Amino acid sequence: MSARSVLPGSDFWHEAFAMQGAVAVRLLPRMLVFALAAVASVVLHQHAPVTALRPEPVEASAVVLGLLLVFRTTAGYARWWEGRTLWGGIVNQSRNLTVSAVAYGPADAAWRQAVTRWVAVFAHVTRRSLRAERTLPEVVTLVGALDAAAVARAEHMPSYASARLAVLLRDARDQHRMDPFAFVQLDRERASLLEHAGGCERILATPIPSVYSLTTRSFIAIYLLALPLALVGSLGWFAPVAALFVTYPILAVEQIGAELQIPFATTSLSHLPLDEICGTIERNVLAAAAGVRTERAPSEAMDSTRAEPQSPGPGELALAGRGAAQGQRGIT
């Protein structure tokens, strides 16, 4: 385990000046607008000194602005964390379903392989569905081009993958005599996968109310436009520089809140690593199925040997006959 995985963010100076993954690049246009507005405030003050504002109202409004930004980032992070929790549930349910299906399901190798691969398909199509993508190269690799095309044509791809798993479980119960209790448990695991996918779709389809975002950004714009007018009287031409030092953290915190509220889109700087998560699910379920199959084969052979009835020999039949005759005389 690397030191970076033990202590995230330990490389302070690298992250402090890193541009990849930072919001600074996306803030440059807005920063430029407020910088020009600050310069215009200084020019206006030189021609009309009465345009300067007293700093007290601006300082008081900063408290309200801070509260709005806290609520903004908290709401965004709550959505991001809920998305990560739901995907953690998909990871765990995929493992549970695979292990239980291979351990308690039929010994048929084709059935086991189909269940395992469709569990992995479910994770991939859920990721693609959340990103509004219909190109499914991973599904082609797992189940073939024909089934991948059928998945892509489906109205709701996760439901299609879940339905295929349900059909496989039904076949195991009807044709391979799976234990009814095992069937109920496996079907519950399958349904949980779809519930987690539905939770992700709820986050995607229910953004933070627009009135909240509009109010926060309007307040920020008014505050940052008024800030140079409150500083120009005491700082003069240094007012734009001081205003930019305040503008950047305010805009950065607001942008972080906006990025966090969309945890699945690749356009978001803070999107969840769904590609890596789905890759982990695929590797885990395929490895789990292979491991259980390898460990179970010797025990199945031993059980079948123990269960095979032995034909009695002639001597055993003669002894059984004499014992029965003696028992009969004792009764009479």
Side-chain angles (χ1 to χ4, degrees):
M1 184 178 294
S2 64
R4 186 175 180 82
S5 63
V6 175
L7 185 60
S10 58
D11 193 354
F12 173 81
W13 294 111
H14 173 75
E15 294 185 352
F17 297 101
M19 298 303 294
Q20 184 178 2
V23 298
V25 177
R26 300 191 176 188
L27 297 179
L28 288 178
R30 278 172 272 179
M31 293 281 294
L32 180 60
V33 171
F34 285 112
L36 294 176
V39 172
S41 300
V42 176
V43 174
L44 181 63
H45 174 70
Q46 288 183 342
H47 291 82
V50 295
T51 56
L53 299 177
R54 294 183 61 83
E56 289 81 3
V58 178
E59 293 173 356
S61 61
V63 177
V64 179
L65 178 59
L67 292 175
L68 287 175
L69 291 175
V70 168
F71 293 151
R72 172 77 160 167
T73 53
T74 301
Y77 183 75
R79 293 166 58 85
W80 187 91
W81 182 246
E82 184 181 5
R84 183 61 187 90
T85 302
L86 290 168
W87 269 96
I90 292 176
V91 172
N92 294 333
Q93 296 300 134
S94 298
R95 293 168 177 165
N96 291 337
L97 178 56
T98 300
V99 173
S100 298
V102 177
Y104 305 128
D108 182 68
W111 184 88
R112 293 180 181 179
Q113 184 180 34
V115 168
T116 301
R117 291 181 177 273
W118 277 104
V119 170
V121 165
F122 181 89
H124 285 300
V125 299
T126 300
R127 168 175 57 90
R128 296 287 185 179
S129 178
L130 292 172
R131 294 175 176 175
E133 299 172 349
R134 291 282 173 168
T135 305
L136 309 173
E138 307 90 353
V139 180
V140 174
T141 302
L142 288 168
V143 296
L146 292 178
D147 283 331
V151 174
R153 290 193 301 268
E155 175 68 21
H156 186 246
M157 294 190 293
S159 292
Y160 183 90
S162 180
R164 293 294 295 265
L165 285 170
V167 170
L168 288 169
L169 294 178
R170 184 196 62 194
D171 292 343
R173 183 197 61 186
D174 297 343
Q175 300 178 13
H176 300 279
R177 298 181 180 180
M178 176 190 284
D179 181 77
F181 293 103
F183 169 79
V184 171
Q185 179 61 31
L186 288 171
D187 196 61
R188 185 180 296 114
E189 301 283 354
R190 178 200 61 81
S192 296
L193 283 176
L194 203 57
E195 290 176 359
H196 285 89
C200 294
E201 292 170 351
R202 171 177 49 80
I203 295 175
L204 185 65
T206 312
I208 293 178
S210 59
V211 63
Y212 187 80
S213 176
L214 291 173
T215 302
T216 303
R217 291 187 169 181
S218 299
F219 200 105
I220 290 174
I222 294 173
Y223 178 84
L224 294 180
L225 290 174
L227 181 61
L229 296 175
L231 299 176
V232 67
S234 57
L235 298 180
W237 280 104
F238 288 101
V241 178
L244 284 180
F245 275 104
V246 178
T247 299
Y248 175 73
I250 291 177
L251 293 180
V253 172
E254 194 278 332
Q255 183 65 27
I256 290 172
E259 297 282 343
L260 288 173
Q261 70 177 347
I262 310 175
F264 310 119
T266 55
T267 55
S268 174
L269 295 174
S270 57
H271 66 85
L272 293 171
L274 298 187
D275 294 343
E276 291 79 3
I277 293 174
C278 291
T280 299
I281 292 174
E282 180 178 341
R283 291 192 304 271
N284 289 168
V285 298
L286 294 179
V292 173
R293 182 168 60 249
T294 302
E295 295 172 4
R296 185 175 174 179
S299 62
E300 289 174 351
M302 188 179 299
D303 291 343
S304 62
T305 302
R306 286 198 299 263
E308 183 179 355
Q310 301 292 332
S311 300
E316 294 174 343
L317 289 175
L319 290 174
R322 287 197 297 268
Q326 292 175 0
Q328 184 67 24
R329 287 196 298 269
I331 294 174
T332 56

